[in-house]
Amino acid sequence: MANTVKIEGAVRDQFGKGAARRMRVANLIPATIYAGGVEPTFIKLPLKETTNALRRTNALFEIAYGTGKKMAVVKDVQRNPVKRRVEHIDFFEVRAGEKVVVEVPVFVEGETKGASVAFVDMQNLQVRADVTNLPERITISVEGLGDGDKVLAKDVALPEGSELVIDDPEDSVVTVEIPKEESLEPQLDQTTPEATATSDETDAAPDQAAPTAA
C-alpha cells in the first residue's frame, strides 16, 4: 500500500505576509516541517505538484530541500476560503518504522438484500499504522446484509499492520436498513353523515377538505 510522494522544495528564509504573498505569486507554497523537540524546518514547495499530491489521502511525503531531506505526513492545510487555493502546509516529520495515528475514510461495496440501504455511521476511522504503509481508505462489504444488520468497529477488516484506535469497539460503523417513508395518504378526521335528500332541499352541503399531512 505504498503511498509515497517525492517533492523537491527549497529552504524558506523570508517570512511574513509580504513574503508569503510573493511566494504565492511565484506559484510556491510556504510550508513548515515540525519535529518533536527540535526547531521546525521552513520550506517552500511547488504549487501544482504539491496540490495534486494533497489529493492522496494519508500520503507519506519525501521532501528534498537544499542539502536536506525529510519524511513527513501532513498535519494541517490552510486554504483560501474563497479560491480554495493552498496557502500553507504544516508537516510532521516521521521516520521509517514509526507508527502514527491517521484518519481513514470509510467506503462500502456490495449489494444489500431487497430494498435495504447501507448507511455509513462513521465517515472516518482512526487507525494506527506504519508511516510507510498508511491506508488510504477502508472498504466494508455489505454484500448480502439485510434490514437491521450492522457492521461494528470490532468487525472491520483493517489492512495488514494497522490497528483501530477507538473508545468503544461496539460502535456501529455501517447500518443496513429499509428507509422509512412518511405516509402521504390523506386521512379524514371523521365521515360526514349521509344526508337524506328531499324534493324541497335545494342547497347541497359543501365538500369537506382532506387534512394536509404535517
Side-chain angles (χ1 to χ4, degrees):
M1 192 181 302
N3 189 23
T4 304
V5 177
K6 296 183 178 181
I7 290 187
E8 291 281 342
V11 175
R12 175 162 58 99
D13 54 9
Q14 294 183 345
F15 305 93
K17 292 183 179 180
R21 186 162 48 249
R22 288 191 294 272
M23 277 185 276
R24 287 193 286 271
V25 170
N27 288 322
L28 297 170
I29 301 174
T32 304
I33 304 176
Y34 293 93
V38 299
E39 288 294 318
T41 301
F42 303 101
I43 58 174
K44 48 190 175 183
L45 301 172
L47 174 65
K48 183 177 180 180
E49 183 180 355
T50 306
T51 301
N52 289 337
L54 290 173
R55 297 193 178 102
R56 299 171 61 176
T57 304
N58 296 329
L60 174 65
F61 283 76
E62 288 187 6
I63 304 172
Y65 56 93
T67 58
K69 181 183 292 187
K70 290 182 182 290
M71 288 199 309
V73 292
V74 174
K75 181 181 178 182
D76 184 59
V77 178
Q78 298 176 20
R79 297 179 184 270
N80 181 287
V82 177
K83 298 181 179 180
R84 305 304 299 163
R85 171 175 167 151
V86 178
E87 295 190 336
H88 189 276
I89 305 173
D90 287 337
F91 292 95
F92 188 80
E93 183 180 3
V94 295
R95 302 183 185 279
E98 183 179 351
K99 288 193 172 185
V100 295
V101 176
V102 293
E103 285 201 347
V104 186
V106 174
F107 294 84
V108 296
E109 65 178 7
E111 294 292 330
T112 56
K113 291 181 180 178
S116 59
V117 177
F119 295 93
V120 178
D121 302 321
M122 302 179 70
Q123 301 294 328
N124 297 281
L125 289 174
Q126 284 196 328
V127 171
R128 182 181 290 106
D130 190 288
V131 295
T132 60
N133 198 32
L134 298 177
E136 297 182 61
R137 60 163 57 193
I138 292 174
T139 303
I140 298 175
S141 175
V142 295
E143 185 70 33
L145 298 185
D147 186 34
D149 288 336
K150 291 179 179 290
V151 178
L152 305 181
K154 66 179 183 180
D155 299 324
V156 174
L158 297 175
E160 185 177 355
S162 301
E163 57 180 301
L164 193 63
V165 180
I166 193 168
D167 292 332
D168 188 356
E170 298 291 331
D171 283 347
S172 173
V173 180
V174 176
T175 299
V176 178
E177 60 184 16
I178 297 176
K180 297 178 176 60
E181 298 182 0
E182 293 183 2
S183 175
L184 299 179
E185 295 182 2
Q187 298 179 354
L188 297 178
D189 291 336
Q190 59 184 21
T191 302
T192 303
E194 189 173 330
T196 302
T198 65
S199 57
D200 294 333
E201 292 175 348
T202 57
D203 295 330
D207 293 336
Q208 186 176 11
T212 304

